[in-house]
Amino acid sequence: MSALLHYQLALLARSQRWLAPVILYAAFLAVGVQSGQPVLDSLAYAAAALLPVAAWLVRICASNEPPAARTCSAAAAGPARAHLAALLAAFLAAAALGVLAVLVVTVISDAGSTNGRLPVARAPAGAAGLIAMLVSASLGTALGALTTWPLLRSAGKAVPAMLLGALFLLVTTGSPAQSVLTDLTAGSREGVVPWPLGALAGAVAVAVAAVWTACALTSRRG
């Protein structure tokens, strides 16, 4: 699995298809995160924007290999393991992007509450931001796994489903993504750093189930 994962990461890096989602994410942050804004609010915005980007990276990694190369990978390691490596590569890329965003946002943002009257420690806020990024990366990976091959083959159906799914995850009550964003914004108003570990556990569970489903179908459909 380690060799497959390294192969998928190298394939992603060389393909340069990651440039589009990364540039779009950077543009979102440039527009929505300004120096001096409350740190927890800015981290919530950055985490929300990462979810569809993570799903996009999954679509890229799932279709990066030419058919002949994918056939060789599946023959050598099995279709499920080959597909799992692609999904893990996308998750790691999204998580790395989220970590970088947390570092930048935490440094440039104001270490205070929404009204500016209460202090908010940068280090705990950054840790909460990392949890939020992991939630978004996990749910984005789950969404991408369910809206690409082998479940959805047509881009005309998959892309709208991915975008609607991202919106659904961000605004629906009970979603781990909506929960962690609510925690961060509420913590910003109250000047208290939240620890949304429950949301992280829920997101990881959803991601595991989605990835398992996608890999199982890969084995069946070839």
Side-chain angles (χ1 to χ4, degrees):
M1 178 55 72
S2 177
L4 278 173
L5 184 56
H6 288 160
Y7 165 67
Q8 288 291 343
L9 288 171
L11 196 64
L12 175 63
R14 289 198 301 267
S15 72
Q16 297 186 355
R17 294 175 66 190
W18 55 269
L19 280 171
V22 170
I23 290 173
L24 180 63
Y25 185 61
F28 268 111
L29 294 187
V31 171
V33 177
Q34 303 296 326
S35 177
Q37 292 179 336
V39 61
L40 290 176
D41 287 333
S42 296
L43 287 169
Y45 179 89
L50 182 67
L51 196 156
V53 171
W56 191 351
L57 287 170
V58 170
R59 285 192 56 79
I60 291 172
C61 288
S63 59
N64 245 348
E65 288 180 284
R70 187 175 185 88
T71 300
C72 292
S73 299
R81 287 170 62 86
H83 195 59
L84 176 60
L87 299 182
L88 287 177
F91 170 77
L92 291 177
L97 187 59
V99 170
L100 180 60
V102 167
L103 292 175
V104 173
V105 171
T106 303
V107 169
I108 69 172
S109 298
D110 177 59
S113 60
T114 301
N115 58 19
R117 297 178 181 177
L118 299 171
V120 175
R122 290 187 189 274
L130 286 175
I131 295 174
M133 292 297 181
L134 288 176
V135 170
S136 290
S138 298
L139 291 177
T141 300
L143 178 61
L146 296 177
T147 56
T148 191
W149 183 88
L151 282 89
L152 293 178
R153 297 174 183 268
S154 169
K157 295 179 180 179
V159 173
M162 183 184 73
L163 295 176
L164 289 174
L167 179 62
F168 177 83
L169 289 170
L170 289 171
V171 303
T172 302
T173 301
S175 163
Q178 196 272 346
S179 175
V180 75
L181 297 181
T182 300
D183 288 346
L184 287 175
T185 54
S188 182
R189 289 193 303 269
E190 299 168 3
V192 177
V193 177
W195 296 101
L197 297 177
L200 178 59
V204 170
V206 171
V208 169
V211 168
W212 182 88
T213 300
C215 292
L217 287 176
T218 302
S219 296
R220 292 186 178 185
R221 297 185 181 182

